Amino acid sequence: MIDTPRYKELQIKLSQQTDEKGRIDTLVDMGVEVRSIDVEHALKMAEDIIQRSRTIAYPRGIGRGLNLKGSCYWLTGDYDIGLTILKDALHIAERIKDVGLEARVLHNFGNIYRDMGDLANALTHFEKALINNEQIGDEFAQSVILTSISNLLYDLNDYDSALEYALKCLPIFERAHNRTSLINVHNTLGNIYFKKQQFADALHYFQENLKHSEPETAAYVMAESGMGKVYYKMHDFGNSSRYLTDALRESQLLGNVEVQIISHFYLGRLYMDDGNHRQALQSLQSAYELADEYQRRHDLMSIHEALSLLYDKLGDVPQAFHHLKAFEKLKEEIFQQKILNELRNLQVRQQIELARKEKEVAERTALLKQQFMANMSHEIRTPMNAIIGMARLLLTRDPRPDQLRYLNAIQMSADNLLVIINDILDLSKIEAGKIVIENIDFSLREVMQSVRDMLMLRAEEKHIQLRMELDDAIARRIVGDPNRLNQVLVNLVGNAVKFTEKGHVEMRATLARQEGTRIWVRFDVTDTGIGIAREHLNSIFDSFTQAGSDTARRFGGTGLGLTISRRLVNLMGGVVSVTSELGIGTTFTVNIPFDEAASQEEPVQQSALDDASLRRLSNLRVLLVEDNEFNRMVAEDTLKELLPEIKLYVAVDGQEAVNCLRTDVIDIVLMDIQMPVMDGLTATRIIRTELPEPACNTRIIAMTANVLQEDVQRYFDAGMNGFVSKPFHADELLLRMDEVLSAGPALVAAPPSPPPVVEVRPAVPEPPPLPERVTDMQFLRQLTGGNADKMNKYIGMFLDNAPRLLDNIDKALVIGDYPTIKIAAHSLKPQLSYMGVKEDVSKIFMIEQIAGSSAHYDALPVLIVNLKHLCKKAFEELNEGR
C-alpha cells in the first residue's frame, strides 16, 4: 500500500481530472512516485498508461509511459530491455518535439549506462538532458541531472567537480522542499566530503539523512552505512561497528547491494585493524563478490587494494601481488576513462556554449526587432492621429460632394494603414511572447454578431451575402479570450469578403465535442471567392505571404493576417487548417477549446455615457499636453466640438504642464509621452511627488502612440490613471475621462524626504547562553594521536585564522557581501570542528548555507552575533589551556 503524501496528493488530483489526457499525465506522476517503493507495481502502471494512451492516440502519454517502463527495467537490472524501450520513448519525444520528455529519457539512458560501467556514455547523455532542461528553463529538472552528474564524477574520483555540481543543486532542492531530492544530494555530498577527508562535513550530511529518512528504507540504510564509514575514518570504532552492522543487516533485508558492499568493506577494515584477519577476509570477500557481480568497478578497485594489504599481513605474497596488480589495472582504466570523459565533456560544453551564444544572438535580434516595431508604430501613429482626426473633423463641416469623396478616400486609406500597423505590431508581440491569452466569461453569439456587424457594410458594397450560423448545442456563455477570438474571426471573414466578388461568405460555429464542461468549438469560414492554388496552400500561413504576386497587387495587404490568426489560435490551444479550390472558393477551419461558464445568465449591460456624465465632462478644466502641432489641433477641435463648455489649457511639453499645475486648478491632464524639454513620465512623477495638494492628485491620462503592454504598465507605475492610444476615437477618450473621474482622486502622496545616509545594522537580540565549555579536545587528540606539539600547532592555527575569518564575515555583513560570508564560513567550519565546537552550538553550517541562498539573508545577523559570542568563549578556553 503506497501512502506517501505525494501519492495521496496525486490520487486527489486524479479524481479531479475531467479528460483522459489529464488522467494519463497524473498516472505517470503516480507511477514515478511508486517506482522507488514497488518497482513491479510501477511496471504494471506503465503498461496501463501506454495502452490507454494508444486508445486515444495520445503520443506524449505513450512516450511518458515507455520512459517510465524503461526506468523500471533499469531498477530491476534488465539493462538491455530498458535501453530498447527507452529508444522507442526517445523517438516519440523527438517526433512530437517534447523537449522535457526527451530530457527525462536521456537522463534514464545515463542512469543505465552508469550502472553498466560505461561512464563516458552516461555523462554524454546526462549533458544532453541538461541542455534540454536549460532550453525550457526547468531549474529543478536541471538540478536532478546535476546530482546524477555529480555522482558519476564521484565514481571517476573527480571529487572537486562532483562537489561543485552537488552544491549547485542543494539550494534549489531546499527551496522546492523536495525531500527525495534533498536526501539524494545529501548522500552525494556526504560521500564527496568523505573522499576529500572533510569528515565533519560528511558526518553532518549523513546525520541529516538519518534524521529525515524513514527506517527500513534505502535512504535510511545508506545514511547508516555513511555514518559507519565516517566514524571508521574518525577512529570512533565503536560507533563505526554499530552503524555498519545495523546497515548490513537492514540492507540484506531490503536487497540493497550498494549498502551491503560498503558495510562488508568497512567491517573488513575494522576487523583487519583489530587483528581479526579471518573475519576481515570473510567480509572483504563478500564485498568483492557483490561488487564483481554488479560490475561496480570503483568499489572493486578499493576492495582489491584492501585485500592486497590483508594478504600481505597474512604472509600470502602471491595473493597480495595478484590483488595489487588488479588494483593498479582498474585504477589505470578509470584514469583513462576520466581523461576520455574530460575530452567528451569539453566537446559537449563547447556545444552548449555555441547554443548559448546562438540563443543570445536570437534574443538580442528579437529585442532589436521589437524595439524597431515599437518605434515604427509610434512614428507612424503620430501623424496618422492628425490625418484621421482632421479628416473626421472636416467630414462634420458639410463638405461639397467632391470634397466628401476625397475625405472618404483619405479616411479609408488611413484606416487601412492603421490595420497594417496593428498587424505588424501584433506579430512582433506574438514573436516576443508578449501576448497573454485571457480566460474570461463571454457570449460567443455576441462575438460572432460583432464580427458580422463590422464586415456587413463591406459585404453589402460588394453585393455578396454575409451569413452567420451558431450551433444551439454550444453553451450561451463560455470561458476564453473573446478579444483574440474576435481578431481571428475578423481576419478570416475579412479575407473571405475581400477575395469574394460574387456569391456569399458564411461564418459557422458548431460543437465539435464535449468532455464535462470542456468543449471544442469548430469555426468554419467559407467563401465562394477566387480560391487558392494548391501550390500556395502550404505557405499561405507564412509571414508576408499571399497566394501569388498577382493577388498581392490586386488586393493589397501585408500578408500577415493569416500568420497572426494561426499563432493566436495556437496560443488558445487550437488548430487551424484550410481547404480550397481555385475559382470555386475556400474554407478555413478553426478548432478551439473553451470551458462552459459557471453561470449561463446574461450579465446586465452597462450603458455608455449618460446625460449626467456628459454634463459633468462639459464643465471640466482639461490640460492638453502635446508637442505635435497637428495632434494638438485635432485634440482641441475634437474636445471643443464634443464638449463645448470645456475649459481647455494647452502645454507643449512636460515642463509647461508642471508649471501650469502650479498656478491653475486642473481636473484632468491629457499627457503625451515623448516630448522635448521634459517627457510625460518625468512630468507625471514630478506632479505626484513634488507638487502640493490638490495638484499632486490631479487625474492624468496618457494619450500616446506608444501602445506596447510594457509601455502602458510604465505609465501606470509613474502614477497615471488611464491610457488612450493614438489615433484616438472620440468616444473612447470621453469614456476614459469619465472613468478616471468616477474613480475619485489619485491620492498619490509625496514620499517623505530621504533620510541621511547612515549605516543601519539590524537589531539583534542578546546571544543565547552557551554551554559551560564550548571546546572539546577529544577529536583533536584522536586526530593527532595525543601528540601535544601537534595539538598546540592546530590550536595556534585556529587562534590565528579564526579571528580573521570572523572579521571578514562581520565586514561582509555590513555591505551585504554574502558570497564572502559563505566562503569565510566554509573555511571556519572545519576549524571549529577540530576544536570540538559542535554545529548545534556554532550554527556555522547554517550560516554557510543561508549565505548562499537569498531567501533567508535576514536570519544572518542573529546567527553571526551568536557565532562571535561563541568564538570569544572558545578563544578564552583555548588560551587558558596553552
Side-chain angles (χ1 to χ4, degrees), residues 2 6-7 10-11 14 23-47 49 64-65 67-69 71-72 75:
I2 293 96
R6 171 67 175 157
Y7 189 79
L10 289 168
Q11 281 183 314
L14 181 66
R23 286 190 284 270
I24 288 170
D25 288 336
T26 307
L27 282 170
V28 174
D29 294 334
M30 293 172 71
V32 171
E33 184 71 13
V34 170
R35 185 180 58 191
S36 59
I37 301 169
D38 187 346
V39 69
E40 294 297 332
H41 182 49
L43 196 55
K44 291 176 183 176
M45 290 182 70
E47 293 284 6
I49 288 163
R64 294 192 71 192
N67 183 51
L68 175 61
K69 185 177 178 181
S71 69
C72 289
L75 292 173

Side-chain angles (χ1 to χ4, degrees), residues 567-637:
R567 297 198 185 186
L568 289 175
V569 169
N570 290 342
L571 286 173
M572 289 187 282
V575 292
V576 59
S577 59
V578 59
T579 58
S580 185
E581 190 172 344
L582 204 58
I584 301 298
T586 302
T587 296
F588 282 91
T589 299
V590 177
N591 278 283
I592 300 176
F594 300 98
D595 288 307
E596 290 185 351
S599 171
Q600 292 297 313
E601 296 297 321
E602 295 292 334
V604 178
Q605 294 295 322
Q606 298 294 324
S607 62
L609 287 175
D610 55 21
D611 291 339
S613 296
L614 286 171
R615 283 196 299 273
R616 185 166 67 250
L617 292 176
S618 294
N619 298 317
L620 289 179
R621 291 157 296 192
V622 177
L623 171 59
L624 174 65
V625 190
E626 174 63 72
D627 68 306
N628 185 288
E629 182 180 357
F630 298 103
N631 286 338
R632 265 202 320 274
M633 188 189 312
V634 169
E636 284 185 66
D637 290 352

Side-chain angles (χ1 to χ4, degrees), residues 197-205 207 230 234 779 829-830 833:
Q197 298 187 39
Q198 294 177 223
F199 301 126
D201 288 331
L203 192 63
H204 166 80
Y205 284 112
Q207 284 173 332
V230 172
M234 295 171 72
F779 173 75
K829 183 172 55 178
S833 296

Side-chain angles (χ1 to χ4, degrees), residues 465-616:
Q465 288 184 314
L466 181 54
R467 305 171 184 169
M468 183 186 106
E469 183 181 325
L470 176 60
D471 189 346
D472 290 336
I474 300 173
R476 285 187 299 172
R477 302 199 66 78
I478 58 179
V479 176
D481 192 328
N483 293 323
R484 295 304 174 188
L485 175 60
N486 180 82
Q487 187 175 351
V488 170
L489 293 177
V490 166
N491 254 324
L492 297 179
V493 178
N495 267 357
V497 172
K498 178 179 179 180
F499 294 114
T500 301
E501 298 299 331
K502 60 181 180 179
H504 69 270
V505 171
E506 183 175 43
M507 170 177 53
R508 184 170 62 255
T510 54
L511 181 63
R513 65 187 177 100
Q514 182 165 359
E515 291 181 5
T517 59
R518 188 72 164 170
I519 63 172
W520 281 260
V521 178
R522 170 174 170 153
F523 299 91
D524 290 294
V525 177
T526 304
D527 64 59
T528 56
I530 63 173
I532 305 168
R534 182 170 297 177
E535 62 267 23
H536 294 301
L537 277 177
N538 290 332
S539 61
I540 197 69
F541 291 103
D542 294 343
S543 300
F544 304 104
T545 298
Q546 293 185 338
S549 58
D550 57 333
T551 305
R553 286 194 302 271
R554 182 179 171 191
F555 294 97
T558 60
L560 289 177
L562 291 178
T563 303
I564 293 168
S565 296
R566 182 178 63 175
R567 297 198 185 186
L568 289 175
V569 169
N570 290 342
L571 286 173
M572 289 187 282
V575 292
V576 59
S577 59
V578 59
T579 58
S580 185
E581 190 172 344
L582 204 58
I584 301 298
T586 302
T587 296
F588 282 91
T589 299
V590 177
N591 278 283
I592 300 176
F594 300 98
D595 288 307
E596 290 185 351
S599 171
Q600 292 297 313
E601 296 297 321
E602 295 292 334
V604 178
Q605 294 295 322
Q606 298 294 324
S607 62
L609 287 175
D610 55 21
D611 291 339
S613 296
L614 286 171
R615 283 196 299 273
R616 185 166 67 250

Side-chain angles (χ1 to χ4, degrees), residues 696-878:
C696 67
N697 293 325
T698 305
R699 290 79 153 182
I700 301 174
I701 296 175
M703 199 160 69
T704 174
N706 290 338
V707 295
L708 291 178
Q709 187 175 347
E710 55 266 35
D711 290 329
V712 176
Q713 187 59 51
R714 283 171 47 232
Y715 310 152
F716 287 110
D717 290 343
M720 294 184 174
N721 309 95
F723 160 75
V724 174
S725 65
K726 293 179 184 175
F728 67 83
H729 293 286
D731 289 345
E732 181 190 3
L733 176 60
L734 295 185
L735 280 168
R736 197 68 66 241
M737 291 168 66
D738 187 57
E739 283 175 6
V740 300
L741 281 174
S742 302
L747 297 177
V748 181
S753 301
V757 178
V758 295
E759 178 188 320
V760 178
R761 295 297 299 272
V764 295
E766 286 293 316
L770 295 170
E772 184 177 344
R773 188 166 186 85
V774 297
T775 58
D776 182 358
M777 294 297 99
Q778 181 181 355
F779 173 75
L780 191 60
R781 197 172 291 111
Q782 249 183 3
L783 182 69
T784 61
N787 187 305
D789 291 337
K790 286 185 178 180
M791 288 180 65
N792 283 330
K793 177 183 175 183
Y794 279 105
I795 292 170
M797 289 171 62
F798 174 75
L799 291 173
D800 288 338
N801 292 332
R804 175 179 54 80
L805 292 170
L806 277 175
D807 189 53
N808 290 347
I809 290 172
D810 207 35
K811 288 177 178 176
L813 180 64
V814 173
I815 61 175
D817 183 1
Y818 299 106
T820 294
I821 295 175
K822 182 176 176 65
I823 292 169
H826 184 73
S827 299
L828 185 58
K829 183 172 55 178
Q831 297 184 32
L832 286 169
S833 296
Y834 291 152
M835 299 304 115
V837 179
K838 297 186 182 299
E839 160 61 24
D840 59 354
V841 179
S842 72
K843 301 293 193 296
I844 187 66
F845 177 79
M846 189 181 298
I847 292 171
E848 179 192 1
Q849 295 302 306
I850 289 175
S853 173
S854 60
H856 305 292
Y857 283 164
D858 56 346
L860 281 173
V862 172
L863 290 171
I864 290 172
V865 166
N866 295 345
L867 176 66
K868 289 162 62 179
H869 180 55
L870 163 78
C871 285
K872 181 182 178 184
K873 181 169 174 54
F875 298 156
E876 291 170 356
E877 291 176 6
L878 293 171

Side-chain angles (χ1 to χ4, degrees), residues 213-253:
S213 301
E214 296 293 331
E216 299 179 2
T217 63
Y220 191 86
V221 297
M222 187 69 77
E224 283 185 314
S225 67
M227 292 176 66
K229 67 185 184 183
V230 172
Y231 278 126
Y232 170 77
K233 288 291 186 178
M234 295 171 72
H235 304 291
D236 185 346
F237 301 128
N239 270 326
S240 176
S241 178
R242 178 168 62 86
Y243 278 109
L244 289 171
T245 302
D246 288 347
L248 178 59
R249 182 184 66 255
E250 292 166 20
S251 63
Q252 286 171 334
L253 292 173

